[in-house]
Amino acid sequence: MALQVELIPTGEIIRVVHPHRPCKLALGSDGVRVTMESALTARDRVGVQDFVLLENFTSEAAFMENLRRRFRENLIYTYIGPVLVSVNPYRDLQIYSRQHMERYRGVSFYEVPPHLFAVADTVYRALRTERRDQAVMISGESGAGKTEATKRLLQFYAETCPAPERGGAVRDRLLQSNPVLEAFGNAKTLRNDNSSRFGKYMDVQFDFKGAPVGGHILSYLLEKSRVVHQNHGERNFHIFYQLLEGGEEEELRRLGLERNAQSYLYLVKGQCAKVSSINDKSDWKVVRKALTVINFTEDEVEDLLSIVASVLHLGNIHFVANEESNAQVTTENQLKYLTRLLGVEGATLREALTHRKIIAKGEELLSPLNLEQAAYARDALAKAVYSRTFTWLVGKINRSLASKDADSPSWRSTTVLGLLDIYGFEVFQHNSFEQFCINYCNEKLQQLFIELTLKSEQEEYEAEGIAWEPVQYFNNKIICDLVEEKFKGIISILDEECLRPGEATDLTFLEKLEDTVKHHPHFLTHKLADQRTRKSLDRGEFRLLHYAGEVTYNVTGFLDKNNDLLFRNLKETMCSSKNPIMSQCFDRNELSDKKRPETVATQFKLSLLQLVEILKSKEPAYIRCIKPNDAKQPGRFDEVLIRHQVKYLGLMENLRVRRAGFAYRRKYEIFLQRYKSLCPETWPTWAGRPQDGVAVLVRHLGYKPEEYKMGRTKIFIRFPKTLFATEDALEVRRQSLATKIQAAWRGFHWRQKFLRVKRSAICIQSWWRGTLGRRKAAKRKWAAQTIRRLIRGFILRHAPRCPENAFFLDHVRTSFLLNLRRQLPRNVLDTSWPTPPPALREASELLRELCMKNMVWKYCRSISPEWKQQLQQKAVASEIFKGKKDNYPQSVPRLFISTRLGADEISPKVLQALGSEPIQYAVPVVKYDRKGYKPRSRQLLLTPNAVVIVEDAKVKQRIDYANLTGISVSSLSDSLFVLHVQREDNKQKGDVVLQSDHVIETLTKTALSADRVNNININQGSITFAGGPGRDGIIDFTPGSELLITKAKNGHLAVVAPRLNSR
């Protein structure tokens, strides 16, 4: 099965254990860290992490291909042994977070993939454990990422180092010194928007605990010519634009400045005042805050900004020629601002800008300047003011970084870590004095680099007891001597030409060079070149063959730039400045010192020699920065440009020196731990010395004697292919080992899981059984106690309440109440009720009464008005007829209805005769005549005021309720009744004898309407009624088998009715 790997944003290669679950690499996680050797299996896709492991290490094409593969996969870091090669990605890869710092902290150098933090941590641990000063040398051309690398290193130390006892002030100042130095020393160039235009070496001092306690900065060769001139597409130093964009209105008014950068001659020569990638306003806020952190007072900030503004005003000083062709100042307003900002006399400054003081034979003479000379004096003053202010600024930062405990005994135990951010080798189309100095610096550093690399290699070989084999390499000492040799070197010749009397020019300097070093193999001019080479050399140029290749220099300006001449009267004027910073930058002792100041080249050479001595006293680490393209585009790999940088950085030379001996070396313990599975004798453990185990292992692997050497503590492997073959064998071996380990682990894992489950089940079962037993015992005990209390209470149930029978009595009461709850009456007609115990008889009666009232209340609430009226009529009927009339029980289940006649059965004439009186009840009846008792069909109508008897459409008789004296009915089951009226009522013919099939209903409604409930008489034998004036009639009632109504022989009305109920 092929190994699967993935890349993560840190630039690490990880093994994919499962297609969807890559193993974690962070320290302390459950995953497995993949070391550099593990990544070799992916070398065909992403290249090797150490160029030393390249098989064809002498091939520049193989070197470039490996660099391209890694850059394509966003792997920007690669090693050459201990040297880190970094390619600028031109984008944020999210690989500098706190998490990544912790990942590389305290880890062996080759245990993690290449990273800037790996170098930083290795240097820091060596500084603490070995108590030796360290230095990190960062080099590369402009735009390669040197400044960014320096900031990331400082960030790593600020985040991971322990805080000093007196707080983090020094740590903050170290970090905040960067934005200040960048503002005053960096500028936008064609190659880089934040290019460092000076070399910087920073020492960070650590106490015995590893905490930063102090620092010191050295600066080299500030490009001060940029103050007065910039190439097209470039800018002046950042601070000018930041001040104009971010300064407050009041502050700009005090300095006499406008926000428009186009208003200042020194800012428009590059025609690039605005840059989209630079936010000058926000950068200004950062700089102002940083100045406060590094102990600048408000007065010092004002003085510093006054100097910055004065440089801009100097650029706007203009001259015109008078009649004698002498220069005169025309911009009086600018002169006034300069006078105030620099604290000098206006007349003195005007004279110094237009005249030159010459001392001849002890006499001072003033020589007027022409326009060209005045412009030169103005620009020289601007450059001097800015460069000296920059030097003062570095000194001010150093004073703020100086340790406050330098006199304490613990100061002697401090160690120093140096960071060198120096310009890389520069080869432009037009190379001048600055490029000459920069490339000379790189020659010296390359010489030091080769010496220290060879020295460290030789020391390691000697320490391991391996014979040192001399390495052939290009020794650039011959070039360094060409530049710096006393009396014969280029710098000495340049100084001599600058100092000699007479008319010295750049061309006379070139001629002297040709005469002095014409036989040097690395020097060439137009005069010394052959016919073919002369075509590429002008007469004012010379060519040096550097270690990185040929560079052609134009001598124009060499003498002026080396002299860096500032007229004496300008110095005198600045020495009289009342600006505190200017008075420190221009010392009056310069005026009295008769010794000629050292030239720029000599100063640079001496400071460079001093830097080399500083670096020699420290253990070095190297970071080589490469710019992938000139367009600053991410993902673009310009092979021509990169090959050029690889050449002048000396990377191939470094690789060749590193590979001259052995390509790979590891301690025995690490090597054995990694590859012990390849030998049965060393797997799974080796009991003896690691060195013996490695010897057994390499014999088993079949290493040839010329492929490896055994040192005292390490094994040295000469060829990468030997290591690759070992790593490939390990990968094959891992597959079988993984299967065995997985099987063993799964068996162990599932057996352990089964045993855990079994133990858990037994534990749960025993606990549950115990719980059930305790519950059952408690239940039995409670049952026994309850039965005992009931029996004792039953025995004493008739005794007064006491503790012995209280439980029983309460139980009886509770039982009764619970039983009562289940057997409550369902309705008002249900008279059932449980028999209460003696003690609850009174309470039972009260509850029964309450229950009945509640049911009645509920029933009454639920009936409708119609039903209520029905019940009221039934109740009246019951009151009148119950137990008195035989056919009453048959009427009980029948509902009383509101009328027995429909609206169409009552004649409209009758309704018209009644007028507004409503008919409350109507029923068909049979009327018996008073004479002869002949039956006739009639209708009986009840109105609110009278009983009306109707024959068809005619009202036959109307009996007002006031004249209705009573109603008589028999006790038998017949349906006859008599309406008695007042005899004095002349309108009435007498009492009315009627028969109705609904006699109970009719009489009840009549009694209610006429309010004659108590005037209904129920007779058992006969009824006497008024048949007419002075004449009475009698109705005789006798029981029989069936209903029969006839006129008896005695003239009475005989009614035979069956008896339905026995009373």
Side-chain angles (χ1 to χ4, degrees), residues 728-755:
D728 292 341
L730 176 63
E731 194 55 43
V732 174
R733 173 67 172 156
R734 272 182 173 161
Q735 305 305 319
S736 61
L737 287 178
T739 304
K740 292 179 181 179
I741 293 172
Q742 285 175 352
W745 168 251
R746 286 170 181 162
F748 172 79
H749 172 71
W750 287 109
R751 176 166 177 76
Q752 293 300 313
K753 187 174 182 179
F754 166 74
L755 292 176

Side-chain angles (χ1 to χ4, degrees), residues 88-370:
N88 192 342
Y90 286 121
R91 61 179 171 184
D92 187 3
L93 297 179
Q94 302 293 326
I95 57 174
Y96 302 106
S97 64
R98 176 74 188 194
Q99 179 184 357
H100 294 97
M101 294 180 189
E102 292 299 331
R103 178 176 299 162
Y104 283 88
R105 186 179 179 185
V107 182
S108 178
F109 189 69
Y110 289 109
E111 191 178 335
V112 284
H115 198 286
L116 184 70
F117 291 160
V119 176
D121 182 71
T122 302
V123 170
Y124 179 70
R125 283 189 291 116
L127 178 124
R128 291 204 62 185
T129 56
E130 300 175 14
R131 308 301 301 167
R132 294 189 60 181
D133 293 346
Q134 305 288 318
V136 181
M137 288 183 266
I138 308 171
S139 61
E141 75 167 56
S142 179
K146 302 186 300 297
T147 303
E148 187 67 20
T150 304
K151 289 193 286 189
R152 294 298 183 184
L153 286 173
L154 287 174
Q155 178 190 356
F156 178 83
Y157 294 131
E159 292 286 340
T160 60
C161 294
E165 293 181 358
R166 300 192 177 184
V170 172
R171 184 169 57 189
D172 294 339
R173 290 170 193 162
L174 283 169
L175 292 174
Q176 294 303 320
S177 65
N178 266 321
V180 175
L181 290 176
E182 286 184 14
F184 284 85
N186 288 25
K188 192 266 181 195
T189 66
L190 292 174
R191 298 187 175 187
N192 185 6
D193 290 346
N194 188 33
S195 176
S196 297
R197 307 318 298 161
F198 69 104
K200 180 178 70 174
Y201 174 77
M202 173 185 285
D203 271 335
V204 182
Q205 295 165 324
F206 294 86
D207 61 13
F208 69 98
K209 296 179 181 178
V213 293
H216 190 270
I217 298 173
L218 295 175
S219 63
Y220 300 96
L221 198 65
L222 176 72
E223 188 190 13
K224 56 186 175 184
S225 62
R226 181 169 293 272
V227 175
V228 300
H229 176 76
Q230 308 91 41
N231 293 325
H232 183 76
E234 297 188 353
R235 296 206 314 176
N236 211 322
F237 293 103
H238 292 324
I239 186 62
F240 296 113
Y241 307 95
Q242 292 173 359
L243 175 59
L244 295 180
E245 287 291 329
E248 297 180 359
E249 293 292 342
E250 183 179 350
E251 191 170 41
L252 294 181
R253 195 178 303 112
R254 180 184 70 83
L255 299 174
L257 298 177
E258 302 175 10
R259 289 222 181 266
N260 186 12
Q262 303 294 332
S263 303
Y264 302 98
L265 185 64
Y266 284 164
L267 302 184
V268 298
K269 293 190 176 181
Q271 299 181 3
C272 187
K274 293 283 186 180
V275 182
S276 60
S277 61
I278 299 176
N279 189 335
D280 293 310
K281 191 170 184 179
S282 64
D283 290 344
W284 169 253
K285 295 179 181 178
V286 175
V287 172
R288 285 293 276 117
K289 181 180 178 182
L291 288 172
T292 305
V293 173
I294 56 180
N295 289 344
F296 268 77
T297 64
E298 286 298 322
D299 291 340
E300 287 176 328
V301 173
E302 284 189 10
D303 295 337
L304 182 62
L305 297 182
S306 296
I307 295 173
V308 174
S310 69
V311 173
L312 295 178
H313 287 303
L314 264 175
N316 284 2
I317 292 287
H318 296 298
F319 304 96
V320 295
N322 60 12
E323 298 175 354
E324 300 174 358
S325 298
N326 297 328
Q328 290 183 342
V329 177
T330 60
T331 49
E332 294 294 334
N333 196 37
Q334 305 297 329
L335 197 63
K336 289 180 182 178
Y337 280 126
L338 282 171
T339 301
R340 179 168 58 83
L341 294 173
L342 294 177
V344 297
E345 294 292 335
T348 305
L349 180 60
R350 180 196 303 273
E351 183 181 276
L353 288 171
T354 56
H355 294 76
R356 180 180 181 183
K357 182 178 287 188
I358 303 174
I359 300 178
K361 296 180 181 180
E363 295 184 5
E364 293 184 354
L365 301 175
L366 281 178
S367 173
L369 303 176
N370 57 30

Side-chain angles (χ1 to χ4, degrees), residues 49-89:
Q49 297 184 111
D50 194 335
F51 285 109
V52 174
L53 298 178
L54 280 176
E55 186 65 34
N56 190 6
F57 68 93
T58 59
S59 169
E60 187 177 285
F63 188 98
M64 293 294 296
E65 180 60 26
N66 191 67
L67 203 61
R68 179 190 290 105
R69 286 179 179 178
R70 295 185 63 75
F71 183 74
R72 187 171 57 234
E73 299 291 341
N74 289 329
L75 303 177
I76 63 172
Y77 294 118
T78 313
Y79 291 137
I80 305 178
V83 178
L84 180 68
V85 179
S86 170
V87 184
N88 192 342

Side-chain angles (χ1 to χ4, degrees), residues 418-439:
L419 298 174
L420 177 63
D421 175 5
I422 201 79
Y423 12 63
F425 202 89
E426 291 189 351
V427 184
F428 299 140
Q429 188 173 359
H430 301 286
N431 301 290
S432 186
F433 179 75
E434 290 85 4
Q435 282 69 47
F436 172 76
C437 293
I438 288 172
N439 293 342

Side-chain angles (χ1 to χ4, degrees), residues 697-726:
L697 177 60
V698 297
R699 279 198 303 271
H700 178 78
L701 292 174
Y703 282 14
K704 296 177 182 179
E706 65 272 14
E707 292 181 337
Y708 75 100
K709 290 288 185 182
M710 301 286 287
R712 291 190 177 94
T713 63
K714 296 180 181 179
I715 179 174
F716 289 75
I717 298 177
R718 187 179 298 276
F719 306 115
K721 64 181 181 181
T722 306
L723 178 64
F724 294 162
T726 305

